[in-house]
Amino acid sequence: MHQSPAPWPQQQPPGLPSLKGVIFASVLGSVLVLAAAVLFALLPGAFSEAADFRAARPCSEVSAPENGDCLSEWPATVVSTGTGRSNKAVTHWVTVDLSPEEPSFRIRMRGDGPVWRELAPGDRVTVFAWRDLVWQLGSGELRQDTTRTPDREPAVRLAVGLTLLVVGAVFLRGAGWLHRRRATRATDTPTAQVVVVMVAAAGAATAATVTDTVWLALLLAAAGCTAVGTATVLLLRGLARRRTA
């Protein structure tokens, strides 16, 4: 008695997304959205600190400068300057000495500004501090911010958080779209997906520079993403109608 040959294994149609692709998009999107949520959770404290910094007065104008909330100035001597690289990012350092009794410490400058370019070992500079942060370095009439300036970090965090949120949401939406393609075995591929992600992420990051209020930045980013998505859908529908006409 002859056995009937085993049926051929069902092959996946060409162009159909794999299950691994769906899982990868889901996991990556979830991780990005979670990272954005963590950044948003830390933002209120950062914005509060930035507001305190902007409201701080010079220590010479307050009655209790020992509380550390005023803007202090300290004379220092340059020990050395240097440039380093970390993950392809160039960093500029200045090592200063406040007094012979205290150890020297490094200050990371924001870019290669006028102060950093002019400094040499032995130069006298002014260290501007607030609480435990050195936020600016001065040489004569020149001033240059450091990377620890409190009023700039929240905007950077907000921009990064909004970008992560947008890209993560796009990956989650893409995972759902890939799953539907697998279920319906459709092989059509929408266009302009990369452009939509780039424009939406850029719009979200731009929203962080417009306002320092988290809910308003989220609202602006959501409005921008909605506008970009709607415009893209209308454009694709118009192109599809022209092709079928």
Side-chain angles (χ1 to χ4, degrees):
M1 184 176 181
H2 297 284
Q3 294 182 350
S4 59
W8 291 98
Q10 188 175 7
Q11 294 183 352
Q12 179 175 288
L16 199 65
S18 65
L19 181 59
K20 290 183 179 180
V22 178
I23 296 175
F24 175 78
S26 301
V27 172
L28 183 58
S30 300
V31 170
L32 293 177
V33 171
L34 180 60
V38 173
L39 284 176
F40 290 146
L42 299 176
L43 277 175
F47 278 119
S48 176
E49 184 181 59
D52 292 342
F53 171 73
R54 288 192 293 266
R57 295 184 297 166
C59 292
S60 58
E61 300 178 3
V62 299
S63 58
E66 66 275 3
N67 60 11
D69 285 333
C70 58
L71 302 174
S72 59
E73 302 179 13
W74 304 94
T77 304
V78 176
V79 177
S80 63
T81 62
T83 302
R85 292 183 179 273
S86 176
N87 296 329
K88 298 182 180 181
V90 179
T91 57
H92 303 281
W93 299 89
V94 177
T95 303
V96 299
D97 193 359
L98 292 177
S99 66
E101 295 79 17
E102 299 181 9
S104 304
F105 61 93
R106 265 183 169 186
I107 302 174
R108 185 178 177 182
M109 307 303 296
R110 187 180 298 278
D112 58 341
V115 173
W116 183 86
R117 288 195 298 264
E118 299 294 332
L119 291 181
D123 288 347
R124 297 291 292 176
V125 293
T126 302
V127 174
F128 296 90
W130 177 72
R131 293 181 180 174
D132 295 328
L133 304 175
V134 176
W135 64 277
Q136 200 174 62
L137 194 65
S139 176
E141 299 297 326
L142 300 177
R143 299 287 186 272
Q144 184 177 345
D145 290 346
T146 72
T147 57
R148 303 293 304 278
T149 306
D151 62 342
R152 294 190 177 185
E153 184 178 355
V156 176
R157 287 188 186 181
L158 181 57
V160 173
L162 289 173
T163 303
L164 291 176
L165 180 62
V166 171
V167 177
V170 169
F171 269 101
L172 291 176
R173 180 182 178 276
W177 174 75
L178 291 174
H179 178 70
R180 287 193 299 271
R181 282 190 62 192
R182 284 180 54 84
T184 59
R185 295 187 174 273
T187 57
D188 58 319
T189 303
T191 58
Q193 294 296 322
V194 176
V195 177
V196 173
V197 176
M198 292 175 61
V199 175
T206 304
T209 64
V210 177
T211 177
D212 57 358
T213 305
V214 178
W215 68 266
L216 183 55
L218 289 173
L219 182 61
L220 291 175
C225 293
T226 302
V228 171
T230 303
T232 304
V233 170
L234 294 177
L235 176 61
L236 292 178
R237 287 180 179 177
L239 293 176
R241 290 174 182 174
R242 288 185 179 181
R243 291 173 183 174
T244 56

